[in-house]
Amino acid sequence: MLQFLIRRVIQVMPILVGISLITFALIHMMPRNIVDSMVPPGSPPSLRAEIAQIDGLDKPLWEQYLLWLHQVLHGNFGVSLVSGRPIGDALFSALLNSLQITFFAALVGFLLGILFGALAAVKKGRWQDSLFSLFFIAGISVPPFWFAILLVAIFAFDLNWVPAQGMGPEGWPLHWEQWRHMILPIATLSLIPMGVVGRIVRAATLEALSQEFVTALVAKGMRMDVIREHVVRNTAPQVLAVMGLQFGYLISGSILVDLVFNWPGTGKLLNQAILSGDIPVIQAAVLLLSVIFVLVNLGVDTAQAIIDPRMRR
Amino acid sequence: MTAMGISALIVMLAIAAPYVTDGQPYSGNALERLKPIGTHGHLLGTDELGRDMWTRLVYGARLSLISGAAPVLIALAIGGSLGVIAGYAGGRVNALIMRTMDIFYAFPAVLLAIAACAVLGPGLLSTIAALSIVFTPSIVRITETATTRIRGMDYIEAARCSGATDFRIILHQVLPNVQAPVLVYASSLAGLSIILAAGLSFLGLGMSPPNPEWGQMLNSLRQSIYVQPWVAALPGLMIFVTSVCFNVISDGLRVAMDVQDG
């Protein structure tokens, strides 16, 4: 097991380096030169040169990359071009806000997906199967930003049950007013994981149920809960892998939904940065979210290997 | 069947746009803003600038279908070729291609699309380019897996012994045997592609106004949802329906081609 973990961590290293390279390259692939966006239009070349020198932008690219990487590894993401404040603080508080809804959306989506998927598989070919399969297709096909708008129009505007915007008062633990703000974003974000997980649970359960050992167990007269445990153990690794991917997507995929609900998460941060051309913020957000995505997947791989020793190749 | 029928209808309407509408998706009447569905002369109402919704939705189908379908086709061409090459060649070529793809695969899809679009600037071409970049790595993976599986098969060996060139073997032996899982997988991306393309426009990164495109229309009608909720919901409904149809067709393909994984 330890060997497996070490090998996976070593495999992840070049990927992390690759991510950092691409993210670094973002700045230099922008149509507008970064120095141009830092100085007022029409500035004399001497000012440009001075600014470039202060930020090390006159050095060769590889030196800039190493300098940037060094800073990032020490938790310094640079300063925003718009606000002039350190990016790190804003980014981490936005990340916490995002995780707050992502976590519950994943929880709701996964639980419903597992429940509906298992029910659909057990009732294969009956109306329950058709109904839940329809749910899943709808879940993966609905544009989240549109669904979010509909929810706001119906539940916040027409019925006035829940607030339409923002995340309400601060504070921990969460109290009712905060939950009221979270209901619609969670409902929107849980749809896709519900659909994706539901489909994979249904397919994996059907596959497990059709295996000979299950027939043998039934023939032996095993109790239902024993059979269920065998089926769950055989489907779990596959389902876990999908859940990990979905959780990673949720953290970054909330961008479209943040916009509609005005939720102060990473999506809103990223959106504002894109609109104002704040490249260092885009860079920092992309880097952080991608690294989290890789780490989540590493965690899932490890969990899979714990459940299923065959995965520890 | 229903799904194929609806998709075909949407595609035909998009092609025949000038004949089934008044052909003027850009012109509106300021006195007829935000009319409800069923208004005389405007069957599906009008948008916030008084433009006919039916006309804009039908013209929108053109841009939305193109920005949804083109990335999948491009990714299929590029990713499929790279995957077959990686799987067939093996060794260092395989390692080079697959490790590079691993890095792109490590970015979350939406994030990669947004970052690519932010770099390339708004527009139809950058939307297509950004989404092609997003879809390529996974298609490479699927193709590579399928190709590696058949690489050592006897019929490949036989073809090589009979003097066939690598190119000929790839064309006549490899492609027919790897196409099923790859095509099924690519078809499953079409629904997602429509949503992502619309999402980029919704963020203001894809198509810009006044172009009729469903995601962009949804964004400009967002504020009007309190005035004419049904009219404002129409572009999103079109994205939803198209995406459902594509996903149902993809599921059908999977069953028809008897593909288990991928």
Side-chain angles (χ1 to χ4, degrees):
Chain A
M1 191 61 215
L2 187 68
Q3 220 187 350
F4 164 85
L5 204 60
I6 293 172
R7 203 171 55 232
R8 285 296 287 128
V9 169
I10 293 174
Q11 279 172 359
V12 160
M13 286 301 164
I15 292 181
L16 289 179
V17 172
I19 285 179
S20 73
L21 273 173
I22 292 179
T23 320
F24 173 75
L26 271 183
I27 271 198
H28 299 280
M29 291 188 301
M30 285 289 181
R32 205 156 76 132
N33 188 306
I34 173 96
V35 181
D36 285 337
S37 22
M38 291 165 77
V39 295
S43 308
S46 61
L47 179 67
R48 293 192 40 153
E50 203 176 324
I51 296 241
Q53 198 189 2
I54 292 170
D55 287 323
L57 290 167
D58 57 341
K59 297 205 171 70
L61 275 184
W62 63 270
E63 223 172 290
Q64 284 187 41
Y65 170 69
L66 290 181
L67 187 73
W68 173 75
L69 195 64
H70 179 83
Q71 286 178 338
V72 165
L73 288 176
H74 288 78
N76 177 5
F77 285 97
V79 290
S80 155
L81 289 183
V82 174
S83 68
R85 288 202 215 103
I87 296 168
D89 302 347
L91 188 57
F92 281 107
S93 79
L95 183 66
L96 277 182
N97 291 341
S98 278
L99 283 176
Q100 193 179 322
I101 43 171
T102 307
F103 176 77
F104 291 107
L107 198 68
V108 173
F110 293 168
L111 286 178
L112 289 181
I114 293 172
L115 184 71
F116 293 166
L119 279 174
V122 174
K123 303 274 182 189
K124 186 181 191 291
R126 307 232 211 119
W127 64 265
Q128 291 98 331
D129 185 18
S130 317
L131 179 72
F132 290 131
S133 295
L134 199 69
F135 269 19
F136 302 150
I137 287 263
I140 60 169
S141 307
V142 72
F145 39 98
W146 174 67
F147 192 71
I149 295 174
L150 287 189
L151 287 184
V152 168
I154 297 172
F155 293 103
F157 184 72
D158 265 5
L159 299 172
N160 208 7
W161 286 351
V162 283
Q165 299 267 299
M167 64 183 291
E170 308 229 341
W172 193 265
L174 299 169
H175 52 81
W176 175 231
E177 193 48 38
Q178 283 160 298
W179 282 108
R180 272 165 45 93
H181 281 84
M182 284 164 64
I183 291 175
L184 295 187
I186 292 177
T188 311
L189 285 175
S190 60
L191 270 189
I192 297 177
M194 185 275 288
V196 177
V197 170
R199 279 161 72 97
I200 196 80
V201 166
R202 178 179 176 276
T205 311
L206 282 179
E207 199 197 323
L209 285 176
S210 69
Q211 305 244 330
E212 281 175 359
F213 75 87
V214 175
T215 322
L217 286 176
V218 177
K220 266 168 72 184
M222 276 292 174
R223 286 206 319 274
M224 207 50 217
D225 54 321
V226 178
I227 297 175
R228 196 176 299 138
E229 200 201 311
H230 280 275
V231 172
V232 168
R233 268 202 165 241
N234 274 278
T235 51
Q238 235 179 314
V239 174
L240 255 179
V242 170
M243 284 183 179
L245 270 179
Q246 284 300 314
F247 189 73
Y249 286 150
L250 268 182
I251 297 178
S252 57
S254 60
I255 176 160
L256 296 160
V257 176
D258 279 3
L259 186 65
V260 178
F261 292 115
N262 202 15
W263 188 268
T266 43
K268 196 180 163 197
L269 185 81
L270 199 53
N271 195 38
Q272 282 171 343
I274 289 170
L275 288 182
S276 57
D278 199 344
I279 307 167
V281 174
I282 303 176
Q283 202 179 22
V286 171
L287 181 72
L288 184 69
L289 292 174
S290 307
V291 169
I292 291 176
F293 187 60
V294 171
L295 295 182
V296 167
N297 281 319
L298 183 65
V300 170
D301 276 0
T302 314
Q304 273 183 305
I306 291 173
I307 300 176
D308 187 350
R310 283 173 299 183
M311 300 263 175
R312 294 178 208 165
R313 291 167 279 129
Chain B
M1 268 332 273
T2 323
M4 288 187 85
I6 297 175
S7 311
L9 184 68
I10 294 174
V11 172
M12 282 192 299
L13 283 176
I15 295 171
Y19 304 104
V20 293
T21 66
D22 61 13
Q24 292 178 321
Y26 297 105
S27 66
N29 183 345
L31 297 173
E32 295 195 317
R33 279 181 301 191
L34 290 171
K35 291 286 177 199
I37 292 176
T39 307
H40 182 72
H42 299 290
L43 199 61
L44 293 180
T46 56
D47 73 359
E48 79 285 1
L49 295 176
R51 296 171 296 199
D52 184 54
M53 276 304 277
W54 164 252
T55 308
R56 284 186 65 79
L57 282 173
V58 170
Y59 272 90
R62 290 183 159 188
L63 281 174
S64 295
L65 287 176
I66 290 174
S67 57
V72 178
L73 294 177
I74 294 174
L76 191 61
I78 299 177
S81 316
L82 284 175
V84 167
I85 293 172
Y88 186 76
R92 278 199 197 149
V93 179
N94 180 300
L96 178 71
I97 294 177
M98 296 317 289
R99 294 298 82 77
T100 315
M101 288 304 137
D102 280 352
I103 295 170
F104 283 96
Y105 202 72
F107 285 98
V110 178
L111 198 61
L112 188 58
I114 288 169
C117 245
V119 169
L120 298 167
L124 177 65
L125 287 180
S126 45
T127 307
I128 294 176
L131 291 179
S132 305
I133 296 174
V134 171
F135 294 141
T136 301
S138 52
I139 291 191
V140 174
R141 271 199 180 182
I142 302 269
T143 321
E144 193 257 358
T145 311
T147 312
T148 305
R149 198 181 292 152
I150 62 156
R151 186 176 166 229
M153 294 279 183
D154 287 343
Y155 58 84
I156 304 275
E157 204 59 41
R160 196 171 291 140
C161 290
S162 67
T165 58
D166 286 340
F167 182 72
R168 202 185 153 79
I169 297 175
I170 287 178
L171 205 62
H172 293 284
Q173 265 79 37
V174 177
L175 279 187
N177 285 293
V178 300
Q179 64 178 5
V182 179
L183 287 180
V184 167
Y185 179 75
S187 72
S188 77
L189 290 177
L192 179 66
S193 184
I194 290 264
I195 293 181
L196 283 183
L200 287 175
S201 295
F202 183 73
L203 284 178
L205 288 171
M207 245 66 71
S208 42
N211 286 315
E213 194 272 350
W214 295 337
Q216 193 278 117
M217 288 165 69
L218 187 59
N219 192 16
S220 22
L221 279 166
R222 215 169 87 209
Q223 304 307 327
S224 316
I225 194 136
Y226 307 115
V227 189
Q228 285 297 347
W230 292 111
V231 173
L234 280 176
L237 186 68
M238 290 307 299
I239 305 171
F240 180 47
V241 168
T242 314
S243 175
V244 167
C245 289
F246 284 3
N247 280 318
V248 170
I249 293 174
S250 167
D251 280 1
L253 262 184
R254 183 178 300 266
V255 176
M257 289 188 157
D258 193 26
V259 172
Q260 297 295 324
D261 47 29

mmCIF file of all heavy atoms in Angstrom, chain B residues 54-71:
data_model
loop_
_atom_site.group_PDB
_atom_site.id
_atom_site.type_symbol
_atom_site.label_atom_id
_atom_site.label_comp_id
_atom_site.label_asym_id
_atom_site.label_seq_id
_atom_site.Cartn_x
_atom_site.Cartn_y
_atom_site.Cartn_z
ATOM 1 N N TRP B 54 -38.650 33.909 -32.227
ATOM 2 C CA TRP B 54 -38.605 32.737 -33.113
ATOM 3 C C TRP B 54 -37.450 32.867 -34.094
ATOM 4 O O TRP B 54 -36.654 31.942 -34.270
ATOM 5 C CB TRP B 54 -39.958 32.595 -33.825
ATOM 6 C CG TRP B 54 -39.936 31.698 -35.026
ATOM 7 C CD1 TRP B 54 -40.021 32.065 -36.327
ATOM 8 C CD2 TRP B 54 -39.818 30.259 -35.018
ATOM 9 N NE1 TRP B 54 -39.959 30.971 -37.143
ATOM 10 C CE2 TRP B 54 -39.839 29.846 -36.373
ATOM 11 C CE3 TRP B 54 -39.695 29.292 -34.018
ATOM 12 C CZ2 TRP B 54 -39.747 28.507 -36.736
ATOM 13 C CZ3 TRP B 54 -39.597 27.955 -34.394
ATOM 14 C CH2 TRP B 54 -39.630 27.575 -35.726
ATOM 15 N N THR B 55 -37.349 34.055 -34.710
ATOM 16 C CA THR B 55 -36.275 34.281 -35.678
ATOM 17 C C THR B 55 -34.913 34.114 -35.008
ATOM 18 O O THR B 55 -34.020 33.433 -35.521
ATOM 19 C CB THR B 55 -36.381 35.702 -36.261
ATOM 20 O OG1 THR B 55 -37.702 35.892 -36.750
ATOM 21 C CG2 THR B 55 -35.386 35.907 -37.375
ATOM 22 N N ARG B 56 -34.756 34.726 -33.829
ATOM 23 C CA ARG B 56 -33.457 34.663 -33.167
ATOM 24 C C ARG B 56 -33.126 33.256 -32.676
ATOM 25 O O ARG B 56 -31.972 32.836 -32.727
ATOM 26 C CB ARG B 56 -33.391 35.670 -32.017
ATOM 27 C CG ARG B 56 -33.193 37.074 -32.544
ATOM 28 C CD ARG B 56 -32.980 38.103 -31.480
ATOM 29 N NE ARG B 56 -31.766 37.974 -30.684
ATOM 30 C CZ ARG B 56 -30.564 38.362 -31.080
ATOM 31 N NH1 ARG B 56 -30.380 38.868 -32.277
ATOM 32 N NH2 ARG B 56 -29.535 38.259 -30.269
ATOM 33 N N LEU B 57 -34.153 32.526 -32.219
ATOM 34 C CA LEU B 57 -33.896 31.158 -31.754
ATOM 35 C C LEU B 57 -33.462 30.271 -32.918
ATOM 36 O O LEU B 57 -32.538 29.468 -32.784
ATOM 37 C CB LEU B 57 -35.149 30.581 -31.086
ATOM 38 C CG LEU B 57 -35.407 31.057 -29.657
ATOM 39 C CD1 LEU B 57 -36.747 30.555 -29.174
ATOM 40 C CD2 LEU B 57 -34.302 30.602 -28.723
ATOM 41 N N VAL B 58 -34.131 30.427 -34.069
ATOM 42 C CA VAL B 58 -33.787 29.593 -35.224
ATOM 43 C C VAL B 58 -32.395 29.945 -35.740
ATOM 44 O O VAL B 58 -31.569 29.069 -35.999
ATOM 45 C CB VAL B 58 -34.849 29.742 -36.339
ATOM 46 C CG1 VAL B 58 -34.368 29.077 -37.613
ATOM 47 C CG2 VAL B 58 -36.166 29.149 -35.892
ATOM 48 N N TYR B 59 -32.102 31.261 -35.843
ATOM 49 C CA TYR B 59 -30.754 31.653 -36.246
ATOM 50 C C TYR B 59 -29.732 31.253 -35.181
ATOM 51 O O TYR B 59 -28.599 30.895 -35.488
ATOM 52 C CB TYR B 59 -30.692 33.166 -36.516
ATOM 53 C CG TYR B 59 -31.051 33.516 -37.936
ATOM 54 C CD1 TYR B 59 -32.361 33.778 -38.294
ATOM 55 C CD2 TYR B 59 -30.075 33.553 -38.922
ATOM 56 C CE1 TYR B 59 -32.702 34.080 -39.594
ATOM 57 C CE2 TYR B 59 -30.395 33.847 -40.234
ATOM 58 C CZ TYR B 59 -31.713 34.117 -40.572
ATOM 59 O OH TYR B 59 -32.033 34.395 -41.862
ATOM 60 N N GLY B 60 -30.165 31.314 -33.911
ATOM 61 C CA GLY B 60 -29.281 30.928 -32.810
ATOM 62 C C GLY B 60 -28.873 29.475 -32.922
ATOM 63 O O GLY B 60 -27.760 29.095 -32.544
ATOM 64 N N ALA B 61 -29.780 28.643 -33.457
ATOM 65 C CA ALA B 61 -29.469 27.223 -33.608
ATOM 66 C C ALA B 61 -28.227 27.044 -34.471
ATOM 67 O O ALA B 61 -27.408 26.160 -34.229
ATOM 68 C CB ALA B 61 -30.655 26.492 -34.217
ATOM 69 N N ARG B 62 -28.086 27.928 -35.495
ATOM 70 C CA ARG B 62 -26.910 27.812 -36.369
ATOM 71 C C ARG B 62 -25.631 27.925 -35.560
ATOM 72 O O ARG B 62 -24.798 27.026 -35.551
ATOM 73 C CB ARG B 62 -26.934 28.930 -37.417
ATOM 74 C CG ARG B 62 -28.021 28.766 -38.438
ATOM 75 C CD ARG B 62 -27.935 29.863 -39.460
ATOM 76 N NE ARG B 62 -28.610 29.462 -40.690
ATOM 77 C CZ ARG B 62 -28.560 30.156 -41.812
ATOM 78 N NH1 ARG B 62 -27.890 31.284 -41.853
ATOM 79 N NH2 ARG B 62 -29.187 29.725 -42.882
ATOM 80 N N LEU B 63 -25.486 29.071 -34.870
ATOM 81 C CA LEU B 63 -24.255 29.309 -34.116
ATOM 82 C C LEU B 63 -24.072 28.288 -33.001
ATOM 83 O O LEU B 63 -22.978 27.794 -32.767
ATOM 84 C CB LEU B 63 -24.267 30.724 -33.533
ATOM 85 C CG LEU B 63 -23.902 31.840 -34.501
ATOM 86 C CD1 LEU B 63 -24.085 33.199 -33.851
ATOM 87 C CD2 LEU B 63 -22.462 31.671 -34.964
ATOM 88 N N SER B 64 -25.170 27.974 -32.287
ATOM 89 C CA SER B 64 -25.044 27.056 -31.156
ATOM 90 C C SER B 64 -24.670 25.656 -31.617
ATOM 91 O O SER B 64 -23.833 24.998 -30.994
ATOM 92 C CB SER B 64 -26.350 27.006 -30.365
ATOM 93 O OG SER B 64 -26.588 28.257 -29.784
ATOM 94 N N LEU B 65 -25.287 25.191 -32.696
ATOM 95 C CA LEU B 65 -24.968 23.851 -33.185
ATOM 96 C C LEU B 65 -23.529 23.793 -33.686
ATOM 97 O O LEU B 65 -22.803 22.827 -33.425
ATOM 98 C CB LEU B 65 -25.924 23.438 -34.301
ATOM 99 C CG LEU B 65 -27.348 23.084 -33.870
ATOM 100 C CD1 LEU B 65 -28.211 22.780 -35.083
ATOM 101 C CD2 LEU B 65 -27.351 21.904 -32.921
ATOM 102 N N ILE B 66 -23.111 24.841 -34.392
ATOM 103 C CA ILE B 66 -21.733 24.860 -34.901
ATOM 104 C C ILE B 66 -20.745 24.887 -33.745
ATOM 105 O O ILE B 66 -19.803 24.095 -33.685
ATOM 106 C CB ILE B 66 -21.506 26.080 -35.827
ATOM 107 C CG1 ILE B 66 -22.272 25.884 -37.131
ATOM 108 C CG2 ILE B 66 -20.019 26.264 -36.113
ATOM 109 C CD1 ILE B 66 -22.230 27.080 -38.037
ATOM 110 N N SER B 67 -20.994 25.791 -32.775
ATOM 111 C CA SER B 67 -20.033 25.892 -31.677
ATOM 112 C C SER B 67 -20.101 24.670 -30.772
ATOM 113 O O SER B 67 -19.196 24.426 -29.990
ATOM 114 C CB SER B 67 -20.243 27.178 -30.876
ATOM 115 O OG SER B 67 -21.557 27.234 -30.380
ATOM 116 N N GLY B 68 -21.180 23.887 -30.858
ATOM 117 C CA GLY B 68 -21.252 22.660 -30.087
ATOM 118 C C GLY B 68 -20.650 21.474 -30.823
ATOM 119 O O GLY B 68 -19.951 20.646 -30.236
ATOM 120 N N ALA B 69 -20.907 21.383 -32.132
ATOM 121 C CA ALA B 69 -20.488 20.203 -32.887
ATOM 122 C C ALA B 69 -19.040 20.296 -33.355
ATOM 123 O O ALA B 69 -18.305 19.304 -33.306
ATOM 124 C CB ALA B 69 -21.404 19.994 -34.083
ATOM 125 N N ALA B 70 -18.620 21.483 -33.787
ATOM 126 C CA ALA B 70 -17.271 21.612 -34.354
ATOM 127 C C ALA B 70 -16.166 21.161 -33.387
ATOM 128 O O ALA B 70 -15.266 20.425 -33.799
ATOM 129 C CB ALA B 70 -17.030 23.052 -34.816
ATOM 130 N N PRO B 71 -16.218 21.570 -32.089
ATOM 131 C CA PRO B 71 -15.139 21.127 -31.197
ATOM 132 C C PRO B 71 -15.038 19.612 -31.091
ATOM 133 O O PRO B 71 -13.940 19.060 -31.056
ATOM 134 C CB PRO B 71 -15.529 21.733 -29.839
ATOM 135 C CG PRO B 71 -16.419 22.846 -30.148
ATOM 136 C CD PRO B 71 -17.144 22.467 -31.400
#
